[in-house]
Amino acid sequence: MTERSVIHATFSIERTYDAAPSKVFRAYADRAIKRRWFVEGEGWDIETYDLDFRIGGTESSSFRFKGGALIRFDAVYQDIVPNDRIIVAYNMTIDDKRISASLATTELKPDGKRTKLVFTEQGAYLDGYDSIAQREEGTRELHEALARELARS
Amino acid sequence: MTERSVIHATFSIERTYDAAPSKVFRAYADRAIKRRWFVEGEGWDIETYDLDFRIGGTESSSFRFKGGALIRFDAVYQDIVPNDRIIVAYNMTIDDKRISASLATTELKPDGKRTKLVFTEQGAYLDGYDSIAQREEGTRELHEALARELARS
């Protein structure tokens, strides 16, 4: 039987991107662009990806790293203000074990021609399956992948 | 134009109920019981209520207090462990203005024949429409209404 536990924690990440808020926002709203920086990557096998970017809409993906365990990400958009704010609730499972549920807020603020992004995750980390340090590290890598995506075009 | 702002905050509430975890859990899982303590109350006009209690399922209600503004509550269940844990993401609007998005964890722990309930809300309070003190007060009232419901039967 699984030993049940919940650790609640909050972390935030700030980055400034060399792109206007409208371009950064589009990287979240457009399914093809979001898939490219949010789920694709060397060694990752994507089994499914879908995005319905509207309040109440869902985003889901399932993937494996180098043939390992099946990881699922399931999200529901809680609030969207174009070019300004995105709030999403998401949970993750690894081989059907739920490892976390989180509320993730992304705020975009114009900074001259650039964008200051403030990401805040308020998470419930479950049953000892995930660590906050690991989640924060993975989230930093995603924000680095977004920088590469914005530099592409 | 709305001045945009996000305040992130966490609060928790602990209560011990004179009922077994299975009975407390049922007050969340059963639509008729949940409606009774969670949305009904003197002065409140309930326009809609629905509950689909499963992971990924939704709960929604819309109501007015004494003919006032239309308040909407929209939730999606992130994790459910029977008799043990319920995690739900929810957002609220008043007259179509979104006032908050939150992740709410309810943990049930047996305490002899009673249940210790630990509620943790991790919230993003939006655009100055709601205060954390007000949300915590309303949430305490709901947990008091649950006590009255459990004492009924």
Side-chain angles (χ1 to χ4, degrees), chain A residues 58-69:
Chain A
T58 59
E59 180 175 12
S60 63
S61 62
S62 56
F63 46 88
R64 296 175 194 272
F65 186 67
K66 296 184 174 172

Side-chain angles (χ1 to χ4, degrees), chain A residues 12 32 70 73 108 135 143:
Chain A
S12 67
L70 182 66
F73 165 92
L108 307 177
R135 179 62 55 94
H143 285 85

Side-chain angles (χ1 to χ4, degrees), chain B residues 1-121:
Chain B
M1 204 176 140
T2 307
E3 187 67 41
R4 300 295 180 180
S5 66
V6 184
I7 293 174
H8 293 98
T10 299
F11 65 85
S12 68
I13 293 171
E14 292 194 16
R15 284 199 64 141
T16 298
Y17 292 104
D18 194 14
S22 59
K23 185 174 172 182
V24 178
F25 183 79
R26 187 159 172 262
Y28 287 85
D30 181 284
R31 191 185 308 189
I33 301 174
K34 180 81 188 275
R35 179 185 164 122
R36 209 153 51 210
W37 68 267
F38 192 66
V39 297
E40 291 179 2
E42 208 180 314
W44 293 95
D45 307 311
I46 316 304
E47 302 205 350
T48 61
Y49 181 70
D50 204 14
L51 170 63
D52 179 16
F53 190 75
R54 59 184 174 82
I55 297 171
T58 59
E59 180 176 12
S60 62
S61 61
S62 55
F63 46 89
R64 297 175 193 270
F65 185 67
K66 297 185 175 172
L70 182 67
I71 305 172
R72 282 192 56 92
F73 165 92
D74 280 291
V76 181
Y77 285 90
Q78 300 293 310
D79 190 39
I80 296 171
V81 179
N83 307 334
D84 188 298
R85 177 168 80 207
I86 300 163
I87 306 181
V88 68
Y90 75 94
N91 67 74
M92 294 192 75
T93 60
I94 298 184
D95 280 345
D96 291 331
K97 290 185 185 77
R98 198 161 317 277
I99 65 168
S100 68
S102 307
L103 189 74
T105 302
T106 299
E107 296 170 85
L108 306 177
K109 302 166 201 272
D111 176 9
K113 292 180 177 178
R114 309 204 296 167
T115 301
K116 183 181 169 194
L117 181 152
V118 181
F119 172 89
T120 306
E121 167 149 335

Side-chain angles (χ1 to χ4, degrees), chain A residues 4-6 8-9 55 78-79 81 84-85 87 89-91 98 101-103 105 107 120 122-123 126-127, chain B residues 4-6 8-9 55 76 78-79 81 84-85 87 89-91 98 101-103 105 107 120 122-123 126-127:
Chain A
R4 300 296 180 178
S5 66
V6 184
H8 293 98
I55 296 170
Q78 300 294 309
D79 189 39
V81 178
D84 188 297
R85 176 167 81 206
I87 305 181
Y90 75 94
N91 67 73
R98 199 162 318 275
S102 306
L103 188 73
T105 302
E107 294 169 88
T120 305
Q122 296 166 286
L126 305 176
D127 305 333
Chain B
R4 300 295 180 180
S5 66
V6 184
H8 293 98
I55 297 171
V76 181
Q78 300 293 310
D79 190 39
V81 179
D84 188 298
R85 177 168 80 207
I87 306 181
Y90 75 94
N91 67 74
R98 198 161 317 277
S102 307
L103 189 74
T105 302
E107 296 170 85
T120 306
Q122 298 165 287
L126 305 176
D127 305 333

Side-chain angles (χ1 to χ4, degrees), chain A residues 108-134:
Chain A
L108 307 177
K109 301 165 203 274
D111 177 8
K113 291 181 178 178
R114 310 203 297 168
T115 300
K116 183 179 169 195
L117 182 152
V118 181
F119 173 89
T120 305
E121 167 149 335
Q122 296 166 286
Y125 304 97
L126 305 176
D127 305 333
Y129 289 125
D130 203 2
S131 79
I132 297 141
Q134 209 172 335

